[in-house]
């Protein structure tokens, strides 16, 4: 049940209902900093578009599927600009995931060949090799943090598939640690920009992590440039690209694109894998179904890209994880002109709209029992297309959708074929709101599977939280 928020005085004008509980001066910042998902989860009870105050700024939070799709596809009315994107670009630069619409088409056309279906066999071969390397390192009776393991896996896949590069373990850990700090810090800076003005240990950690991140990405670009060969990968495409004036990309522009691809290829997919492993561990019925499918299809061998069509239940598990915990859980847009979103709801020019995909995927009108982890809802055709937007919509829809979905599906099937994972703590994980919705550290005990049946699958499990 969503918490009750105290009533507050509406001092911000029209444009839809104001969320209750606004503090003087601070607005709703205390809730957005300390309990963001609980607070946002309470908003649909007040309307499909609800105003939230973030200090002096007012943000329109949209949770109705058709309205969200409209905002994400209306490039004449909305753009990727404003204060929120300024904070995100401070970390990721002006890459494909963050650039304004005027630059997006050129950037997308430049990178699209790296994700062409003709390259998927090569990409899935890299995925299969890295997944096997990961699971081969595991030993029965040991405890691993599956969130960290998933990040190491997806980082290795991204670097090999999109950059034709490997990364030494020490460098990978340094990059992971820096990204962890940045993803936490950027969320705080988006909702409360004033934290940048206050000297503190947190600010110093953020600035150190930002320096490490930029240096690591810069070294990746420099090493690829020094090699001087076309490897038919994303970075080779960027090195060969020319802007509308015929100029090659600068090292800074290359770094922006590389940073975006590392985040999209590593952190987002690792979040899906980590959530999937935890949800399966907590729900015996779906776990048994996945084990049975892996036993029947793989018979103990590692999966390959050719197995993907024969792993439909693993694919349904991935889709259900994406529904419950979409990595890009909230997407912002800025109105470039006054836009009417409904009767009496007009977003002024320069106003910010927050499309909360986490809320869209958990609305009870399109989703039966929305908080429950139930992969069977996909084979039953219960999820309307318009109410499932984990990769966005329209021209800015995630370019790596097929890449990330294939990787997560192969990873979950490979683990199910060989291992049973038991959480060390029975306490349900709480999502950590960052730029990507992370489960945080997840320590699990590894037990080798014998391939014996684990009992009849159950359709229902407890709510995912």
């Amino acid at each position: 049940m969503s918490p009750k928020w105290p009533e507050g005085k509406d001092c911000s004008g029209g444009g839809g209902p104001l969320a209750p509980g606004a503090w003087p001066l601070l607005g709703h910042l205390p809730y957005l900093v300390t309990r963001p998902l609980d607070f946002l989860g309470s908003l649909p009870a007040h309307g499909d578009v609800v105003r939230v105050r973030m200090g002096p700024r007012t943000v329109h939070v949209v949770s109705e599927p058709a309205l969200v799709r409209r905002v994400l596809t209306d490039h004449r009315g909305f753009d990727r600009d404003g204060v929120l994107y300024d904070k995100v670009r401070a970390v990721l630069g002006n890459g494909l995931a963050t650039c304004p619409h005027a630059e997006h088409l050129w950037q997308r056309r430049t990178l699209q060949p790296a994700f062409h279906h003709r390259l998927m066999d090569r990409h899935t071969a890299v995925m299969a090799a890295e997944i096997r390397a990961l699971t081969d390192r595991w030993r029965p009776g040991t405890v691993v943090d599956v969130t960290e393991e998933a990040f190491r896996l997806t980082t290795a896949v991204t670097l090999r598939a999109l950059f034709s590069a490997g990364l030494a373990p020490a460098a990978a850990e340094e990059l992971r640690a820096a990204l962890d700090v940045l993803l936490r810090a950027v969320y705080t800076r988006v909702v409360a920009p004033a934290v940048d003005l206050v000297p503190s240990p947190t600010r110093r950690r953020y600035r150190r992590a930002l320096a490490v991140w930029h240096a690591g990405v810069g070294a990746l670009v420099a090493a690829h440039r020094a090699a001087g060969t076309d490897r038919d990968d994303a970075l080779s495409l960027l090195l060969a690209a020319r802007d509308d004036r015929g100029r090659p990309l600068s090292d800074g522009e290359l770094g922006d694109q590389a940073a975006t691809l590392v985040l999209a290829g590593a952190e987002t997919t690792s979040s899906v894998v980590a959530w999937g492993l935890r949800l399966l561990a907590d729900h015996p019925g779906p776990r048994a179904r996945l084990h049975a499918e892996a036993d029947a299809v793989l018979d103990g061998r590692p999966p390959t890209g050719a197995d993907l069509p024969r792993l439909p239940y693993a694919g349904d598990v991935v889709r259900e994880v994406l529904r419950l915990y979409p990595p890009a859980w909230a997407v912002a847009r800025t109105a470039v002109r006054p836009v009417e979103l409904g009767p009496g709801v007009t977003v002024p020019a320069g106003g910010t709209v927050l499309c909360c995909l986490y809320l869209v995927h958990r609305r009870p009108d399109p989703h039966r029992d929305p908080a429950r982890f139930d992969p069977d809802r996909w084979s039953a055709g219960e999820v309307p297309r318009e109410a499932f937007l984990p990769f966005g919509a329209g021209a800015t829809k995630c370019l790596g959708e097929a890449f990330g979905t294939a990787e997560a599906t192969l990873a979950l099937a490979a683990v199910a074929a060989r291992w049973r994972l038991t959480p060390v703590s029975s306490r349900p994980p709480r999502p950590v709101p960052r730029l990507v919705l992370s489960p945080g550290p997840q320590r699990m005990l590894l037990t080798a599977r014998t391939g014996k049946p684990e009992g009849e699958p159950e359709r229902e499990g407890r709510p995912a939280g």
Side-chain angles (χ1 to χ4, degrees):
M1 180 180 295
S2 298
K4 298 290 185 181
W5 306 98
E7 292 297 329
K9 185 177 180 181
D10 184 348
C11 302
S12 57
L18 178 72
W23 293 40
L25 300 179
L26 295 176
H28 301 94
L29 282 179
Y31 315 130
L32 289 167
V33 171
T34 61
R35 303 172 65 189
L37 295 180
D38 287 340
F39 173 67
L40 292 171
S42 72
L43 299 184
H46 303 285
D48 292 333
V49 183
V50 180
R51 287 177 297 128
V52 169
R53 285 179 46 217
M54 298 167 61
R57 292 178 291 151
T58 297
V59 174
H60 293 74
V61 179
V62 183
S63 62
E64 197 278 325
L67 285 179
V68 167
R69 186 177 289 276
R70 177 185 160 196
V71 171
L72 295 181
T73 56
D74 180 6
H75 297 159
R76 293 184 177 181
F78 299 95
D79 204 348
R80 301 195 297 191
D81 209 349
V83 175
L84 304 188
Y85 273 95
D86 288 344
K87 295 297 179 182
V88 175
R89 288 184 188 123
V91 175
L92 295 181
N94 195 46
L96 184 64
T98 60
C99 67
H101 293 324
E103 302 173 37
H104 182 268
L105 180 60
W106 177 83
Q107 292 194 18
R108 187 179 182 93
R109 284 177 174 171
T110 299
L111 284 169
Q112 198 148 21
F115 295 91
H116 195 275
H117 63 81
R118 69 180 174 82
L119 296 179
M120 278 303 294
D121 286 347
R122 190 176 78 179
H123 291 335
T124 54
V126 170
M127 295 170 192
E130 293 295 340
I131 291 167
R132 180 170 187 173
L134 173 74
T135 55
D136 281 350
R137 291 196 302 269
W138 288 358
R139 294 292 179 267
T142 59
V143 172
V144 298
D145 181 342
V146 297
T147 302
E148 289 190 1
E149 294 289 282
F151 180 83
R152 292 189 180 102
L153 167 66
T154 56
T155 300
V157 169
T158 299
L159 292 173
R160 280 189 58 189
L162 301 182
F163 299 95
S164 300
L167 197 63
E173 177 57 27
E174 189 174 46
L175 200 65
R176 187 206 67 79
L179 189 56
D180 185 66
V181 172
L182 293 175
L183 290 172
R184 290 176 181 271
V186 170
Y187 173 77
T188 304
R189 279 157 176 75
V190 164
V191 299
V195 299
D196 265 338
L197 305 177
V198 181
S200 67
T202 300
R203 188 176 75 163
R204 288 193 293 272
R205 282 195 297 273
Y206 167 74
R207 292 185 173 182
R208 284 197 299 268
L210 190 59
V212 170
W213 172 254
H214 285 160
V217 171
L220 184 66
V221 172
H224 203 291
R225 188 191 290 277
T229 56
D230 184 353
R231 299 167 179 170
D232 198 23
D233 60 10
L235 204 47
S236 294
L237 290 170
L238 290 169
L239 285 167
R242 298 295 182 269
D243 65 16
D244 54 3
R245 297 182 183 180
R247 298 177 302 189
L249 275 65
S250 67
D251 283 353
E253 290 169 325
L254 286 167
D256 288 353
Q257 297 296 346
T260 299
L261 289 170
V262 170
L263 174 69
E267 179 71 5
T268 57
T269 308
S270 73
S271 172
V272 175
V273 173
W275 275 117
L277 293 174
R278 178 60 194 241
L279 289 168
L280 289 165
D282 287 343
H283 294 79
R287 183 181 67 233
R289 286 278 302 279
L290 183 58
H291 283 171
E293 180 178 84
D295 292 344
V297 173
L298 305 177
D299 193 23
R301 65 173 173 80
T304 68
D307 295 313
L308 284 169
R310 305 169 59 211
L311 295 167
Y313 192 74
D316 288 344
V317 169
V318 170
R319 281 182 280 274
E320 183 69 347
V321 173
L322 286 167
R323 186 187 68 82
L324 285 168
Y325 299 108
W329 60 285
V331 180
R333 292 290 187 268
T334 299
V336 298
R337 55 178 173 79
V339 180
E340 184 177 344
L341 287 183
V345 181
T346 299
V347 181
T352 300
V353 175
L354 192 70
C355 298
C356 192
L357 306 183
Y358 180 84
L359 297 183
V360 170
H361 291 178
R362 289 170 176 256
R363 286 179 66 107
D365 36 4
H367 302 288
R368 173 189 53 80
D369 202 359
R372 189 175 300 280
F373 175 63
D374 182 12
D376 284 333
R377 73 175 78 234
W378 293 94
S379 59
E382 296 178 4
V383 181
R385 175 178 173 271
E386 63 273 11
F388 182 63
L389 300 166
F391 300 100
T396 57
K397 188 177 183 181
C398 177
L399 191 60
E401 175 182 358
F403 184 100
T405 301
E407 183 179 2
T409 302
L410 292 174
L412 293 180
V415 172
R418 296 180 57 184
W419 299 97
R420 184 180 300 110
L421 277 61
T422 306
V424 171
S425 171
S426 61
R427 179 181 300 176
R430 290 187 63 83
V432 180
R434 314 189 301 185
L435 286 184
V436 170
L437 196 59
S438 168
Q442 291 294 312
R443 289 168 51 80
M444 295 196 187
L445 175 67
L446 299 173
T447 304
R449 290 193 60 234
T450 62
K452 294 180 180 179
E454 300 181 41
E456 289 298 316
E458 303 168 4
R459 178 178 172 83
E460 300 294 342
R462 61 186 175 86

